[in-house]
């Protein structure tokens, strides 16, 4: 059974940093492109960033480029999201996602975690 479990969310002040983790199980992790999405209350889920299987290629949303960094550790079956210079606009539930589909960047994802709350105070 595939499972993605996010952790590391919390409440931080504007300008602060936070690192999210997503632990994957039940899949061959290195064969999956991983991504992070987020959803604020009353808003649609939006793309944040994705990372290639090898970790050599990434694609970021313009809203987070230069502030957020995705990385993965295939030996640990874990993908990370380092978030710096956080603003209240970053407040959302952050979701980890995985896809085995071949297109780069992916157009869709197969599996989703349950999310972790990130709240940035002003």
């Amino acid at each position: 059974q595939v499972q993605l479990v996010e952790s590391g969310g919390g409440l931080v002040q504007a300008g602060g940093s936070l690192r999210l983790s997503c632990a994957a199980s039940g899949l061959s992790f290195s064969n999956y492109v991983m991504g992070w999405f987020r959803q604020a209350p009353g808003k649609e889920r939006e793309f944040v960033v994705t990372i290639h299987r090898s970790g050599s290629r990434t694609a970021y949303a313009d809203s987070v480029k230069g502030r957020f960094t995705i990385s993965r550790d295939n030996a640990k079956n874990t993908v990370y999201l380092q978030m710096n210079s956080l603003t209240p606009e970053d407040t959302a539930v952050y979701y980890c996602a995985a896809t085995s589909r071949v297109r780069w960047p992916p157009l869709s994802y197969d599996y989703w975690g349950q999310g972790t709350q990130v709240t940035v105070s002003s």
Side-chain angles (χ1 to χ4, degrees):
Q1 183 175 349
V2 174
Q3 188 173 30
L4 304 177
V5 180
E6 302 95 337
S7 62
L11 193 155
V12 297
Q13 292 184 339
S17 298
L18 206 60
R19 190 179 79 153
L20 307 183
S21 298
C22 172
S25 61
L27 52 76
S28 182
F29 184 75
S30 62
N31 290 331
Y32 281 77
V33 171
M34 304 298 296
W36 287 96
F37 291 73
R38 66 186 183 184
Q39 187 170 26
K43 297 184 178 180
E44 295 183 352
R45 185 174 298 185
E46 67 172 337
F47 167 79
V48 177
V49 62
T50 187
I51 186 168
H52 192 266
R53 296 169 180 83
S54 67
S56 62
R57 286 178 169 81
T58 57
Y60 292 85
D62 289 341
S63 59
V64 305
K65 190 174 183 179
R67 300 188 299 119
F68 291 10
T69 303
I70 191 171
S71 62
R72 66 189 296 160
D73 187 337
N74 286 347
K76 295 183 178 180
N77 288 0
T78 302
V79 63
Y80 305 94
L81 182 64
Q82 178 66 46
M83 305 185 295
N84 299 327
S85 301
L86 286 164
T87 74
E89 289 70 39
D90 296 315
T91 295
V93 176
Y94 283 71
Y95 297 91
C96 177
T99 181
S100 62
R101 297 170 190 176
V102 297
R103 184 182 180 90
W104 176 260
L107 295 178
S108 61
Y109 290 78
D110 302 309
Y111 304 106
W112 297 82
Q114 293 186 330
T116 185
Q117 176 71 49
V118 172
T119 303
V120 185
S121 62
S122 60

